[in-house]
Amino acid sequence: MLDDFMTRAALAGVGVACAAAPLGSFVVWRRMAYFGDATSHAAILGVALSLALQMSIFAGAMAVALGMALTVTMLAGRGYGMDTLLGVLAHSALAFGLVAVSFLSGVRIDLMAYLFGDILAVSRGDLLIIWGGALLVIGLIAWRWSALLTATLSEELAYASGIDPKREQLILTLSLAVTVAVAIKVVGALLIAAMLIIPAAAARPLARTPEQMALAAALTGGASAVIGMQAAFTLDTPAGPTIVCVAAILFALTSLLRPFLKS
């Protein structure tokens, strides 16, 4: 079954959706869209370092994404607005990554594949990494679900409940870095944030509880990946952007139906 590249692509898309769905819900609830953007843009610098040091792309992308997320967390509240800080770091990391790639002599790299993904080229080894990362993220979020929800609702309530909001933020940061690292092969660095945010936003009108929203986001993301991949194969369009387009269409549909769904 895994000899079929379409089957591998479908499994990869669903794996990324499963990793991104619960995390994307917290990104939406905490209004952290730019945070995801900054972390995903930093992954290109991780790709350049991985190629230069001849190490795993997954390891390099995760290390730099985690470093970026931790940097943002440490610099927050030091005189700059969060949107300004994230904008500077996101675009700087992307620029340094692209410049670093240009210095790699003797290394052939399909930059478009890392910017926009190449889901149809996913291998069996990639599937193991994607699903391993997805299971790790799901496990972390499930383990800290109640604490994460409390910290998201109110830091004061979290402290009163004996929960450290900074620790929960660190868990989200680690989960985000893992998701970025496993998703870069599927949708690329420029579209990872879209797969975090759009399925979760599309799922919001469908859910009445946080758990329902995370599940609906996973289903929406998985459907977007499978339908988008099939559409890209049929229409001969880029797979990553097509997947995001399908997710955007689903978001538009649930937004239009929101008054009826909430009645």
Side-chain angles (χ1 to χ4, degrees):
M1 181 180 70
L2 292 181
D3 291 333
D4 182 2
F5 74 95
M6 290 293 286
T7 301
R8 293 196 301 270
L11 290 172
V14 172
V16 169
C18 289
L23 186 59
S25 298
F26 281 103
V27 168
V28 170
W29 292 330
R30 288 173 171 245
R31 294 177 172 86
M32 292 170 56
Y34 281 119
F35 190 83
D37 228 16
T39 308
S40 60
H41 285 182
I44 289 295
L45 181 57
V47 169
L49 292 176
S50 298
L51 294 172
L53 299 176
Q54 297 183 341
M55 58 187 290
S56 165
I57 296 293
F58 170 77
M62 187 172 76
V64 175
L66 181 58
M68 170 63 77
L70 292 174
T71 299
V72 171
T73 302
M74 288 188 296
L75 293 180
R78 297 196 177 184
Y80 294 101
M82 181 58 75
D83 57 343
T84 301
L85 180 63
L86 289 173
V88 169
L89 292 176
H91 298 299
S92 298
L94 180 60
F96 277 111
L98 294 175
V99 170
V101 167
S102 70
F103 283 111
L104 297 176
S105 59
V107 178
R108 295 184 63 184
I109 176 173
D110 183 2
L111 193 57
M112 292 294 287
Y114 290 109
L115 290 175
F116 298 104
D118 191 7
I119 190 173
L120 297 178
V122 168
S123 66
R124 293 185 182 187
D126 293 329
L127 276 180
L128 289 175
I129 291 175
I130 290 169
W131 275 97
L135 291 174
L136 176 60
V137 170
I138 292 171
L140 281 173
I141 299 298
W143 172 48
R144 303 301 302 171
W145 180 260
S146 179
L148 284 167
L149 282 178
T150 303
T152 299
L153 181 63
S154 168
E155 287 193 2
E156 290 77 12
L157 180 60
Y159 281 120
S161 303
I163 298 169
D164 184 358
K166 292 184 178 179
R167 181 184 61 197
E168 307 310 318
Q169 176 67 40
L170 184 61
I171 290 173
L172 280 180
T173 297
L174 175 61
S175 300
L176 183 60
V178 173
T179 301
V180 167
V182 300
I184 192 169
K185 181 80 173 182
V186 177
V187 292
L190 297 183
L191 301 178
I192 292 172
M195 286 305 292
L196 281 169
I197 299 163
I198 297 177
R204 198 166 195 169
L206 306 175
R208 297 184 181 275
T209 66
E211 292 79 8
Q212 288 179 1
M213 180 169 164
L215 179 59
L219 293 174
T220 302
S224 300
V226 174
I227 297 171
M229 182 194 63
Q230 291 286 354
F233 183 74
T234 302
L235 301 174
D236 194 23
T237 55
T242 305
I243 290 171
V244 175
C245 286
V246 173
I249 291 171
L250 293 177
F251 169 72
L253 289 175
T254 59
S255 297
L256 290 173
L257 294 173
R258 187 169 191 161
F260 305 100
L261 294 171
K262 291 298 183 180
S263 61

